[in-house]
Amino acid sequence: MVLSAIILTPLAALFLTLLIPARNDKAIKAVSALAGAVTVALAAYVWFKFDPYSTARYQLVERVEWVPTFGISYYLGVDGIGVLMTMLNAIVFLTGALSMWRLELRVKEYFAFMLTLVIGVFGVFVSLDLFFFFFFYEVAVLPMYPLIAVWGSTRKEYAAMKLTLYLMAGSALLFPALLSIYYKSGLNTFDMVALSGHKFSEAYQIFVYPFIYIGFGVLAGMFPVHGWSPTGHVAAPTAVSMLHAGVLMKLGAFGILRVAMPLLPAGAAYWNGPFAALATCNIVYGALVALKQDDFKFVIGFSSVSHMGIVLLGINMLTIDGMGGAVFQMFAHGVMTALFFSAVGFIYDQAHTRDIHEFGGLSKHVPIASAFFIIAGLCGMGVPGFASFWAELLVFIAAVKTMPLFGVLAVVGLIISALFMLRVLKHAFFGPANPKWQGLRDVTAWDALPRAILIAVLILFGFIPRLALALIASSVRALAGGI
Amino acid sequence: MSSGTLALLCTHAPLVGCFGALVVLRRAPRAAAALNILAMLASLGAALAIFAGSNHQPPTIISLWLSSEGVPISFGFLLDGTNQLMGIIVALIALCIQVYSLGYMKGDPGYARYFGLHGLFAWAMLSFVYSANLLQAFVFWELVGLASFLLIGFWFEKPSAAAAAKKAFVMTRIGDVGMFIGLILLLSSTSTLDIAQLMQASTLASIPDARLTLIALLLFCGVVGKSAQFPLHTWLPDAMEGPTPVSALLHSATMVAAGVFLYARFHPLFVAAEGVSNIVLVIAIITAILAATIAMVQRDMKRVLAYSSISQLAFMLLGLGAGSLYAGVFHLTTHAFFKALLFLCAGAYIHQIGSNDMVTMGRQGAAKLRLVSAGLVIGAAALAGLPPLAGFFSKESILAALHGAHANAFVYGAYLASFLTAYYTFRMVFLVLRPSDKSVLPAEEHEPHPHGDVTGSMKLPIAILTVGAAAAGFAGDFIAKLIGAKALHPTYGEMAPAIGIALAGVIVAFFEFGRKDAAQQGFITRVGALDTLFERKYYLDEIYDKVAGGLVSLIASVSAVVERGVLDGTGDLAGNLTIATGDATARMQSGRLQLYIGSAVLLIVVFCYFVGGY
Amino acid sequence: MPKDLLLFGPELMLLGGALLVFIASIAKEPKSEATWGMALLASFAAVGLSLLTLHERGAPFFPGIYRVDLFSQLLKLGLSALLCGVILISRNLPSVRPSARVDAPLFLLLSTVGMMMLVSATELLTMYVSLELSAYGLYIAVALSSKPRGSEAAAKYVLFGATSSAITLYGLSLVYGTVGSTSMVKLSGALVAGADPLLMIGMLLMFAGLLFKLALVPFHYWAPDAYEGAPHQMVAFIASVSKLGAVGIVARFAAMLPGGDSATLFIALSVASMALGNLAALAQTDLKRLIAYSAVAHAGYLMLGYAAMSKTGLAAVIFYGMIYGASSVLAFVVLSALGRDGENPTMESISGLYQRSPLAALMMLVAIFTLAGIPPTAGFIGKWYLFAAALQRGQFWLVLVAAAASTVALYYYLQVVKAMYLAPPEDRPRVELTFTDSLAGLAALGFVIFYGVYPAPLWELAQKAAALLG
């Protein structure tokens, strides 16, 4: 029942939030933070309960018939990948709630929408029924609209609309594809485990695979349909950016891993070349565009495009190393971007500008707040000692081995990502201290808490990558073995 | 303690220091410094203890660090002679420099941070040295780069320091990318990255020739970046923006030596790879001469030393490329001592006088610092290769190795570089210690800003390193035994020209700069074009900036335009078109009933026609 | 025969209610409160009786002409419940001429009786008469508007409706001419036996008349003008009760069709409706007009289910009809509260609704999410079933088009959300929901959320009902 509990915790918090009067904003924030802490604990419980060496691929399974005549069941379960992602979401949820401690505008609704988003994301990560998977997927996407449009900044309404329409267009591709899988199998079930046991004809797989891949790919920030993501990142408020780049984009990649590949292995094998090429574009192109951005959040936004390219590249290698690296990168990038946005949010909330040229020598004025950003930046450059290093390493190793051209191009992209990160560090945090920012307040212990949690996670998995890799190993092996 | 535990202690003690200084003791700088020095002492002790234990131990594997299907990476220590030697050098030099920094960095607001970053560096460097696995080594290699980045940019408020840090990171990263790809190719060819296993002849023989050459070249890219060889050398002189002890530690003795060390580590591979050694020799000889010529015309003492480092690293690669592991490692060892010494001396002058400019130093009475000046002279003599100091022996063995190699052009090139080395080194010595009243050199624009007196904690390391620079040359046989390579003992016939050349360099320098009433103008100034060329560092910075930087910037701009114009534009256009279509559709609803009914009926008739076949 | 009376109960209740309302309205000083209360009671009773007879089967009074089964009773339950909702929000009828406020419930009740008979009719003439009965009620309801535009809308509605009735009648005569009977059972047999072109044309013409009710392209022209001009509550009725009735009778007809050409025709109409409805809605600022175009688009979605020509498709249509009706009621709870001054609510007047009444904004939000097909509302499930039905026939591209059309639709739905939640309220007045408004709204809201999360009960009823067709 623990998986249901993970979904129900934010749901309960949502009801509680709706009941608390709006003026009591501290209580509302506390409810969310508490729910975050509880989900972290539950995710940790799942982590320890999950046996990566067991032969059962999906564990902690719960199943209730939901619409029996239509083959829909409330069917939850996790494999190693699901466990890792659940933990990621719990961490980002908790730190995101803590990062919004200073929010004053329409607090109640903010947290209500955020909790809805979190429910959707948890639901996706633990669903084994295709219907519920898609159901939660949509639940997760929609709250982004009000979250960005109300609490955002910088062309927020445009960004919110753009994001929603892009993602819904992605869903429009998924809708017919998922339903056609249901009918094509003839099994009268949306149970993904059962469906993945069915062997679809190769021609059919090749036909339908791109719809699912691109449908989910939109959310994963796939080139060339990534346009919503930087704009959305920039416009979103801190915690939403955190959840958005940190977790929501992972839903896309997770969808590919959970739905597209196990169900349509021949499709994956057929299409992996072109999609790997697009993923390489993601990496190199994203980094290049980031090089020309002056807004902090745009830089991070495009760096996300670049980093998600690494995930997609790894996935398309169809090898254990590549996919394992990709999954690990989903986790590492999630935590890292959360840290990025959390760090930027802290500075923006005070300075009300994000133009890197307007800053300078921030490390002097706010050394600790700057250190948070710098650490995230180092992580983004793929410096060892942080989780993302290992993830990228595995993906690159797999890519150079499997598709040397894309692999080498992707590795060369590392130089560009160093360039754009260093550019930001140089302009904003180093150089002569701009006296304009004399009055900036540095973080208090309470502000530092969420950021410190994220850094601790990055370093923990950077030093002991085996923690995560052992967890996902058998799941990834099963996944890669199926193709 | 088992050697594995010792190695763990040796490598990780500085990490404790780092964490302590950066997180816990931020507000207690003196305690942070003490903690780091203690940690360094522990490291040195452990490194010595490992050495004192049995020789040539097999690698001690601690645990499997990470395992994915094709990437088994063990975390372990390889404790053979080469590593033991390098470990001791690194720990010793790092300790000396930390002690020195106690005085040098006194009063700096970032005192604790400084020592913390030192700890970070020592941790990374020592772990790199003892790595049993190439991927593990790569991890720490990158961390060394990170620590270097942070230390170069230590005074981050100086724009030049921030720029230098960025440049260092990017230039070395370019080399690293090549190395990384080489590493992956190696892994996919041999399915292991265990260094001891890789270096076995049977493993190397199993790789196809062309592939082995490619791998060797790619790995060499990493060496070129890290050890600042042409064409990726331009970051090192800029890295002098860091505090001087940092320059001494990173950019002479340890970090840049990592590249050469890697080459030495993989010596069997480079030897086995056909054609690579020639490329190495060519790159090295170009670098040696290029850097030496630039050093001839610099006025900034640290820059002279920086170019000299580049040049000397090239010398090491010459030895290694010529096939002599011994010559390369020997020079690496001696260079660590005398170059660290020279930098610390330079630091002492800078600290006392407050300027990097050698002319200013001389005029402000640098010679009055007796101990420091003695160190400078001994270090310089060692660098110039004057007998019987450290540099002499190691340089001779490199020349001897080159004699053995096929093409003699390299020998003459090395002679030229030796001459230039002796010349610019003593140009430096004379400028600093023998200011001339007749000097034509203009005074510096800036007033010097003295920081304070040279303290005892600064003098002690200088003294220790002076002894090292004087004596390390006699350790040749010992080193040969330790690393298991054949020592080279050059004949007197081979030695004579080298000594002569070095002396010639010193003498020319004396005539131009050292004698009483010298005009202090180098012979090169008479060839104005060359002078400018050297002065402007062969315009390489400008070329890189314009060509490579411009190219990247151009592509990035194009990408940004594509993003805005094409991709975003298409999305927006699709949206706007849809809305426009919507408007048009809505306008069709004109409100005229006849039209509505007429069109509906018409449609029905049309359908009837089709359905009914009428 | 008490059993027959019971089976005819829902209709009787409404008829009785209509009679009472009529009597009360011709009293000396008629009170609109009184007629409203009577209508409410009658509709409540109809709901109760529908529930009671949900699983009954029979043919009261006239075997072969009138049939009571799960299909008819489920729809009657839906019709009466939606009627209840509409009446709950009809206590004040600001956009109805004051003199007609007393009579308004009468037409709603009568029209609903027509709808109920329509879904039970198994004979063509009965069907036609029921259709006309329900239509006349509506014609008058639309004409009750206090605005000049209302009369214009009513005139158009009547003319267009009359044309379509004529077409239906003509089709009916052709069918009778070929089959020689007005019994649907015989008709169905004839259709199975072979496709006589004349019979097909007759069917097509009858269908055209029915599609007019659904507001499917090209029979949709009346909808935007009628929605805009008619009183709010009457529009709510058209959008919910009348729509569900049409869904029912079209389902009965569609179940008889042999497929083939008619499926192609349905698909063409479906695509045209989805495209035209959604595109034209993009340009609307009058919310009632916007809902009208969105209704055109929804008729297109419904057509996907009919075009599937399968039991799943019909079940999906019934399911979606119910959900759509509920979401319409929900939307009109808010819209009629907003339009209490008699004016049509617009994007402008809904601005800042969140600050003016959080509950109303929430109701509208849920209504919009249902219409847009976003979970956890039942609109999502409804679309899921409809699309699934189309895919069962292998209509991959059709579903893709439908899903893309939904994406376009999201744009204008979000415009409403944006206006409600983002735009400042400025000095617009607070929106007060009366007790009955809230009751209707919360019931509808609960309905769409409950079946959005747990659709199984309703879906199974719909499936069983669909199984009885054809």
Side-chain angles (χ1 to χ4, degrees), chain C residues 402-468:
Chain C
S406 310
T407 309
V408 173
L410 199 59
Y411 179 81
Y412 61 79
Y413 289 133
L414 284 180
Q415 295 295 339
V416 181
V417 175
K418 192 165 108 180
M420 288 194 303
Y421 279 84
L422 301 189
E426 281 160 14
D427 50 0
R428 293 188 189 87
R430 287 187 54 80
V431 174
E432 304 293 344
L433 292 178
T434 64
F435 172 72
T436 48
D437 286 347
S438 306
L439 193 65
L442 288 175
L445 192 145
F447 181 83
V448 295
I449 297 279
F450 178 78
Y451 287 113
V453 177
Y454 188 55
L458 186 60
W459 171 246
E460 268 154 31
L461 280 178
Q463 267 189 316
K464 281 185 198 144
L468 296 170

Side-chain angles (χ1 to χ4, degrees), chain C residues 49-413:
Chain C
L49 277 171
S50 304
L51 263 177
L52 204 63
T53 56
L54 191 57
H55 293 283
E56 298 291 339
R57 303 191 69 156
F61 311 127
F62 314 106
I65 291 175
Y66 207 77
R67 185 154 75 200
V68 168
D69 56 11
L70 182 61
F71 172 76
S72 70
Q73 297 316 98
L74 181 60
L75 284 170
K76 282 176 200 166
L77 177 60
L79 291 168
S80 49
L82 293 174
L83 176 68
C84 240
V86 173
I87 291 180
L88 274 173
I89 60 172
S90 302
R91 188 164 184 181
N92 302 304
L93 297 167
S95 46
V96 170
R97 273 198 301 278
S99 58
R101 283 179 193 164
V102 182
D103 308 310
L106 173 65
F107 304 113
L108 297 184
L109 291 173
L110 279 178
S111 183
T112 312
V113 172
M115 297 287 171
M116 286 186 167
M117 290 167 64
L118 190 62
V119 294
S120 267
T122 53
E123 193 263 352
L124 294 178
L125 276 175
T126 318
M127 181 209 86
Y128 182 74
V129 171
S130 314
L131 193 64
E132 292 302 294
L133 175 60
S134 71
Y136 284 119
L138 280 182
Y139 296 153
I140 299 167
V142 170
L144 294 180
S145 174
S146 56
K147 296 245 156 52
R149 269 196 81 90
S151 321
E152 191 194 330
K156 279 182 189 164
Y157 188 42
V158 171
L159 273 175
F160 211 83
T163 315
S164 73
S165 287
I167 293 171
T168 309
L169 197 58
Y170 181 53
L172 203 155
S173 66
L174 283 180
V175 169
Y176 178 71
T178 32
V179 182
S181 162
T182 54
S183 156
M184 285 198 193
V185 182
K186 294 245 172 68
L187 171 60
S188 169
L191 282 166
V192 172
D196 182 340
L198 207 58
L199 175 60
M200 284 311 296
I201 290 177
M203 282 297 289
L204 188 84
L205 294 177
M206 273 202 301
F207 234 97
L210 297 175
L211 295 182
F212 160 79
K213 293 266 169 206
L214 269 185
L216 195 78
V217 170
F219 313 103
H220 69 283
Y221 286 109
W222 61 274
D225 293 340
Y227 274 48
E228 187 185 354
H232 312 321
Q233 285 81 355
M234 303 309 142
V235 181
F237 184 83
I238 296 174
S240 55
V241 183
S242 160
K243 185 68 63 119
L244 183 60
V247 163
I249 187 64
V250 175
R252 197 180 276 290
F253 263 81
M256 289 192 287
L257 288 175
D261 285 340
S262 16
T264 321
L265 177 61
F266 285 179
I267 288 170
L269 293 181
S270 161
V271 170
S273 279
M274 290 187 292
L276 189 137
N278 282 326
L279 284 172
L282 288 176
Q284 306 306 322
T285 51
D286 182 315
L287 292 178
K288 278 160 75 187
R289 263 188 104 82
L290 186 136
I291 297 271
Y293 280 110
S294 127
V296 175
H298 277 92
Y301 299 137
L302 283 166
M303 219 57 202
L304 288 176
Y306 293 124
M309 301 274 169
S310 65
K311 297 291 181 224
T312 316
L314 293 175
V317 165
I318 296 169
F319 185 89
Y320 200 77
M322 301 265 195
I323 303 299
Y324 180 78
S327 62
S328 294
V329 168
L330 186 54
F332 274 96
V333 168
V334 180
L335 292 182
S336 57
L338 263 177
R340 209 143 271 163
D341 54 357
E343 298 299 321
N344 275 357
T346 60
M347 286 282 187
E348 184 96 354
S349 67
I350 204 172
S351 289
L353 182 63
Y354 172 74
Q355 270 99 333
R356 296 152 64 197
S357 169
L359 182 63
L362 179 72
M363 286 177 182
M364 194 67 191
L365 186 74
V366 173
I368 279 176
F369 275 17
T370 314
L371 293 173
I374 288 158
T377 64
F380 173 75
I381 317 277
K383 279 218 178 83
W384 180 270
Y385 288 140
L386 281 175
F387 290 6
L391 259 161
Q392 198 176 17
R393 308 288 289 191
Q395 305 284 11
F396 187 89
W397 296 106
L398 179 61
V399 175
L400 190 65
V401 168
S406 310
T407 309
V408 173
L410 199 59
Y411 179 81
Y412 61 79
Y413 289 133

Side-chain angles (χ1 to χ4, degrees), chain A residues 6 29 126 300:
Chain A
I6 283 184
K29 290 168 185 168
V126 300
I300 309 167

